[in-house]
Amino acid sequence: MTTPESLTFRSDVTVELVKSSASDADVLFAARVSTAGEQSLDELKKDPERSKGLINYLMRDRHGSPFEHNSMTFFISAPIFVFREFMRHRVGWSYNEESGRYRELEPVFYVPDTARKLVQQGRPGKYVFVEGTPEQHSAVKGTLETSYEQSYAAYQELLAEGVAREVARSVLPVGLYSSMYATCNARSLMHFLGLRTQHELAKVPSFPQREIEMVGEKMEAEWAKLMPLTYAAYNANGRVAP
């Protein structure tokens, strides 16, 4: 039986780029095939910097399909409630998540740190989050940890009774960490970032939950290194997916 001391409490997320086939040249050969045919393959041998104007044009005028000819696969570890939001993004994404039917789930749970704003002010559609008081942070930490300890103990009791994992997992909360692989292309990632991150250059405001924004920020950092010209054009044109 797991004791309270065995539980792990985290306030961060894990994002690792495990595989990619993505470069600015991918955008260029896909775009130039419309006018150059098979000669568009020459773009693979050229410096994409020479054609950053074309990338900016495609982004500005929202010619989106050339941004789909690439692939990035991320390993992500985050609370389950983050994944439930994440999987609202369906076009251009593939997911495989760990299964509570087939393995005993580990006792790793989310507890926000003191940087997490706790208080919602305003009405739906027009609200802001503000800092919590030390007392509120203490209450959140204590209440969550106690709840997690009780729910995981109940989970283990059901397993010890021989109850199937797929039934026993019902007692576990959405603050439990899960892991998944998520594969996308640059166009689908740009759409995700436009909704799930806040940025001073964004033309369209977004109001993401902080925890999924943390995932988005780490994915964005990896993508920016793979496709710097595309990333620059995305920011220059208001962070609107083409």
Side-chain angles (χ1 to χ4, degrees):
M1 181 70 66
T2 297
T3 63
E5 294 75 20
S6 306
L7 274 64
T8 298
F9 302 119
R10 295 179 56 184
S11 60
D12 62 338
V13 296
T14 299
V15 177
E16 296 181 16
L17 180 67
V18 298
K19 185 176 69 172
S20 67
S21 174
S23 70
D24 292 314
D26 299 334
V27 180
L28 297 172
F29 73 69
R32 292 198 188 281
V33 71
S34 60
T35 57
E38 66 182 26
Q39 294 179 357
S40 60
L41 290 170
D42 293 340
E43 292 297 331
L44 295 171
K45 306 172 186 176
K46 297 178 181 178
D47 181 0
E49 183 74 28
R50 299 170 57 255
S51 299
K52 64 181 180 181
L54 174 58
I55 292 176
N56 189 72
Y57 160 75
L58 296 169
M59 190 77 69
R60 184 193 68 211
D61 286 15
R62 305 194 72 184
H63 296 292
S65 58
F67 297 99
E68 297 176 1
H69 295 271
N70 55 82
S71 177
M72 293 164 279
T73 297
F74 296 91
F75 173 80
I76 301 168
S77 178
I80 288 175
F81 67 79
V82 170
F83 288 178
R84 299 297 83 85
E85 284 198 330
F86 211 121
M87 291 171 185
R88 299 297 298 169
H89 298 267
R90 299 183 294 275
V91 178
W93 287 89
S94 297
Y95 302 106
N96 281 95
E97 184 181 355
E98 73 175 281
S99 174
R101 296 183 68 192
Y102 302 125
R103 71 184 302 253
E104 182 176 334
L105 298 171
E106 297 295 321
V108 182
F109 297 93
Y110 176 72
V111 177
D113 62 21
T114 55
R116 186 21 165 126
K117 296 178 179 179
L118 293 182
V119 181
Q120 180 178 326
Q121 294 181 344
R123 56 182 174 82
K126 193 175 184 180
Y127 58 83
V128 295
F129 284 90
V130 299
E131 305 292 339
T133 64
E135 293 75 18
Q136 287 171 324
H137 279 286
S138 178
V140 167
K141 182 176 185 297
T143 300
L144 285 178
E145 290 183 0
T146 298
S147 175
Y148 292 152
E149 290 166 3
Q150 293 173 346
S151 64
Y152 199 77
Y155 173 63
Q156 289 211 312
E157 288 172 6
L158 291 175
L159 293 178
E161 290 290 334
V163 174
R165 287 183 291 267
E166 64 184 51
V167 176
R169 65 178 173 171
S170 301
V171 302
L172 295 172
V174 294
L176 180 77
Y177 273 69
S178 186
S179 59
M180 72 172 178
Y181 290 101
T183 298
C184 63
N185 59 57
R187 189 184 194 186
S188 56
L189 180 57
M190 284 186 276
H191 182 259
F192 175 88
L193 295 175
L195 289 172
R196 302 301 182 179
T197 62
Q198 290 184 320
H199 199 284
E200 61 183 5
L201 297 177
K203 287 182 180 178
V204 181
S206 182
F207 307 95
Q209 185 164 339
R210 177 55 190 153
E211 289 76 14
I212 197 170
E213 185 178 36
M214 290 160 58
V215 174
E217 289 170 348
K218 292 192 173 189
M219 296 175 75
E220 180 172 344
E222 296 292 344
W223 171 54
K225 291 183 284 189
L226 294 171
M227 303 178 72
L229 301 180
T230 301
Y231 179 65
Y234 176 61
N235 283 319
N237 289 278
R239 294 175 67 89
V240 176

